[in-house]
Amino acid sequence: MKQYKYNLDKSSKKFVCPKCNKRTLVKYKETETGNYLNEDFGRCDRETNCGFHNTPTGEFNNPFEVVNIPKPKPSFHNFDLVSQSGRNYKENNFIQFLKTIFTETEVKEAILKYLIGTSKRWNGATIFWQIDNLQKVHAGKILQYVSKTGKRHKNEDGKSLIDWVHSILKRTKTINDYNLNQCLFGLHLINESNAKTIALVEGEKTAIMMSIFKPQYIWLATGSKQGFKYENLKPIKQYKIIAFPDKSEYADWFKKATELNILGFDIIVNDWLENTNFEAGTDFADVLLIEKKEAEKNKKHEIIYTDTENIINEFETHTPEIWNLIETFGLVDCNWNEIRKVI
Ligand SMILES: [Zn+2]
């Protein structure tokens, strides 16, 4: 991979321009370390009114010398690890939580679809495997849930428990090194459908639950707010993508989506949740879950589907393309027997 030794910072961070004193300076960064050079080196965004642009010459002999920074080869897990983790679902807190909401069959289908695993890291912990469209296993994220609530388990200092399969393998000296190169959670599913539209959320749990609430769509997860980025979305560039950010994350994802769309992506960011009064961090599955519980309280079991349709109608207001998504998937009923054959 060829790169310049110094590059103008690609983030949106701006510094005070030494010429016009406005906070419009884009600094130079050393490519290899990502460290900023000092304020003397940068380009002012006010090209016409200021025009300050000082490249890192003088101090450095060859500022734009092309350096080769070999990207470390990504490591992958053996697929056997995934198979071996498909066990002990009675102990798996997340699966037990799902069973309090969905039918046995629905939960089984979700397990098979996303290849959800159980880990011994903590009693009842869950593994979310990141498997790509070429069936390569990029990572195994281990999270601990509370089976009654489906919320993340927090320890005494209020931190959620998280670990990674590669970290455990390193700690136990099973492997020496691992170049983590994450991919979207659920990416392997794009090969199992002819659909051209993908629904993208942040959390693995959200993707899994939404896949049960709305099985006609392919639900993928970025795994984190920062996971909504070019490297992760590259394999789904040719798809129509509808992103459903968690409540209060809309602005960030919208900004990122705008940048990506310039690069040829086709991403729509749905703002339905952002315009509700739910608390920050609420995701779409939380909303459907609240509705389902309300419906059960009222003993009107059919209402959940009615309300879901209402929400879909809300989508339409903000996301006209939702109907493409529904059409695309509505016509293709998931054939579980086929999926089972594949995995
Ligand atoms: Zn300036």
Side-chain angles (χ1 to χ4, degrees):
M1 190 175 64
K2 280 197 168 183
Q3 284 192 344
Y4 292 112
K5 189 160 183 179
Y6 303 103
N7 269 301
L8 279 167
D9 182 17
K10 288 185 186 70
S11 79
S12 51
K13 202 165 176 187
K14 297 285 154 62
F15 296 85
V16 175
C17 170
K19 192 178 166 193
C20 70
N21 279 323
K22 295 231 173 351
R23 191 165 278 275
T24 45
L25 185 80
V26 180
K27 275 203 202 179
Y28 274 98
K29 263 184 163 180
E30 190 178 27
T31 312
E32 190 170 4
T33 59
N35 292 334
Y36 285 113
L37 303 185
N38 67 40
E39 284 80 9
D40 298 338
F41 305 110
R43 190 183 65 194
C44 180
D45 265 357
R46 303 172 68 228
E47 277 171 63
T48 338
N49 293 324
C50 170
F52 177 83
H53 188 182
N54 194 21
T55 54
T57 44
E59 196 167 321
F60 312 95
N61 289 334
N62 188 0
F64 292 115
E65 135 191 32
V66 174
V67 289
N68 282 306
I69 302 164
K71 231 185 172 181
K73 252 188 156 177
S75 309
F76 300 106
H77 289 303
N78 191 317
F79 207 94
D80 289 348
L81 286 179
V82 180
S83 315
Q84 283 163 22
S85 76
R87 60 184 157 77
N88 281 349
Y89 292 112
K90 280 195 177 126
E91 314 270 303
N92 189 314
N93 292 342
F94 175 63
I95 299 300
Q96 291 314 307
F97 163 71
L98 290 181
K99 281 189 178 171
T100 64
I101 307 160
F102 304 109
T103 67
E104 185 95 19
T105 314
E106 285 171 328
V107 175
K108 263 188 196 164
E109 281 170 358
I111 291 172
L112 285 171
K113 206 169 163 183
Y114 289 94
L115 303 166
I116 304 167
T118 305
S119 169
K120 291 181 210 141
R121 177 64 179 86
W122 302 287
N123 259 340
T126 302
I127 309 180
F128 295 126
W129 294 102
Q130 294 176 9
I131 305 165
D132 70 17
N133 43 328
L134 306 169
Q135 305 295 315
K136 288 200 157 142
V137 186
H138 290 234
K141 188 198 269 186
I142 306 171
L143 300 177
Q144 176 71 307
Y145 288 91
V146 179
S147 57
K148 265 193 183 152
T149 59
K151 301 254 181 260
R152 295 278 298 281
H153 176 92
K154 293 200 163 71
N155 57 16
E156 301 81 43
D157 50 358
K159 284 202 177 120
S160 297
L161 299 178
I162 177 168
D163 207 343
W164 294 85
V165 171
H166 67 271
S167 303
I168 294 177
L169 295 178
K170 268 162 77 176
R171 285 202 300 270
T172 56
K173 308 264 185 258
T174 313
I175 54 171
N176 292 324
D177 212 0
Y178 196 86
N179 292 320
L180 179 66
N181 170 45
Q182 295 195 56
C183 72
L184 291 174
F185 174 72
L187 188 57
H188 63 286
L189 297 171
I190 65 172
N191 289 346
E192 296 170 11
S193 167
N194 297 322
K196 294 278 172 271
T197 308
I198 283 168
L200 191 59
V201 293
E202 182 184 322
E204 295 88 354
K205 173 187 150 191
T206 316
I208 292 166
M209 289 177 64
M210 289 309 295
S211 81
I212 306 176
F213 279 125
K214 285 280 148 193
Q216 59 270 54
Y217 318 142
I218 301 184
W219 292 90
L220 306 187
T222 60
S224 67
K225 295 174 200 25
Q226 302 78 22
F228 189 73
K229 59 179 180 184
Y230 179 78
E231 294 79 15
N232 283 349
L233 272 65
K234 213 163 75 176
I236 54 169
K237 194 177 175 182
Q238 69 275 31
Y239 289 80
K240 202 176 210 359
I241 301 164
I242 301 188
F244 297 92
D246 290 356
K247 168 83 194 220
S248 82
E249 295 302 330
Y250 175 80
D252 280 359
W253 277 32
F254 182 80
K255 189 166 165 263
K256 195 75 208 170
T258 308
E259 288 168 23
L260 292 169
N261 285 343
I262 291 167
L263 299 172
F265 282 84
D266 182 3
I267 307 168
I268 291 157
V269 185
N270 184 274
D271 67 352
W272 180 83
L273 196 52
E274 200 67 18
N275 295 323
T276 63
N277 293 322
F278 289 104
E279 63 178 289
T282 303
D283 63 55
F284 216 75
D286 293 330
V287 177
L288 292 188
L289 188 58
I290 291 166
E291 285 201 350
K292 193 177 165 88
K293 286 195 171 148
E294 286 285 311
E296 274 158 16
K297 233 192 280 169
N298 299 332
K299 297 219 176 355
K300 286 183 207 157
H301 290 274
E302 69 288 347
I303 202 167
I304 172 70
Y305 297 104
T306 317
D307 282 2
T308 305
E309 294 312 322
N310 287 340
I311 288 168
I312 294 295
N313 290 335
E314 286 278 349
F315 279 178
E316 197 198 11
T317 323
H318 304 281
T319 317
E321 287 74 2
I322 190 77
W323 290 112
N324 294 337
L325 185 140
I326 287 165
E327 262 167 40
T328 316
F329 287 94
L331 297 172
V332 186
D333 250 345
C334 269
N335 186 334
W336 293 113
N337 290 326
E338 284 306 307
I339 289 173
R340 277 191 201 98
K341 262 184 247 157
V342 183
I343 57 172

